[in-house]
Amino acid sequence: MTIAPRSSRPSMDGSVSKRLAGLRGATAMANRAGLMGFFALTFTWSWSLWLLSAAVHPASGALVVVLSVAASFGPSLAAAVVVFFSAGPGELRRWLKRCLRWRVGWRWQTRFGWRVASLLMGALWGFWHLPLSFLVGTSQSQTPAVVFLAMIVALSVLFAWLFNRTGHSVVPALVLHTAFNAWAFLIPTLPSDKA
């Protein structure tokens, strides 16, 4: 009885491994381009609308509110645009469904590195708010920059923790962020002319 030799997996020749390395490099470059596009769109949208709201501030209070609210959606809009153009409409629908998931478990999604990422994101988030420091009537214009930056970085870590603990849903962080922003209107804690 003869035993047929086992078929062995073909070994990767140099051209296949070069193509795989090229694909990995292209993927990394696309990820970097997507991240840079996200920040470029976020800052351009938000800062443009905030500066426009400062220009029309004396003329129309309602328009200032609309522009300021629209500016605050810069990160969300930029993320949706980047996902759509980098992965297509199907992936955008999946991404939105995951981000807006209401039913979340409180289990730990094991990850390393989120703490450092949230600190860096907090610094960028603080920088994103910079134009508000120069707009009269904003809480950022009445808060020392160092205090505001420390608060934003701390919130970034908290929001990242919530995101990780809820299966990557942004809803809990969104609710907390909204509550945090509304807090200043409900219980004024900053000095004002009326205080």
Side-chain angles (χ1 to χ4, degrees), residues 2 4 25 36 45 50 55 64-65 76 78 93 108 121 130 139 144 152 171 183 186 191 194-195:
T2 359
M36 295 309 292
W45 176 267
W50 280 330
V64 168
V65 170
S76 301
R93 282 190 295 275
W108 183 254
M121 187 56 80
L130 183 65
S139 61
I152 289 295
V171 174
W183 185 259
L186 298 174
K194 297 177 183 176

Side-chain angles (χ1 to χ4, degrees), residues 10-61:
S11 62
M12 280 202 270
D13 63 0
S15 64
V16 172
S17 63
K18 283 180 188 175
R19 275 188 248 139
L20 287 175
L23 283 174
R24 281 192 289 272
T27 301
M29 190 167 67
N31 287 340
R32 281 193 299 275
L35 186 62
M36 295 309 292
F38 167 78
F39 285 118
L41 284 170
T42 297
F43 279 80
T44 301
W45 176 267
S46 298
W47 284 22
S48 297
L49 293 178
W50 280 330
L51 292 173
L52 184 58
S53 73
V56 300
H57 182 32
S60 171

Side-chain angles (χ1 to χ4, degrees), residues 60-82:
S60 171
L63 182 58
V64 168
V65 170
V66 169
L67 290 171
S68 295
V69 168
S72 70
F73 283 95
S76 301
L77 177 68
V81 167
V82 168

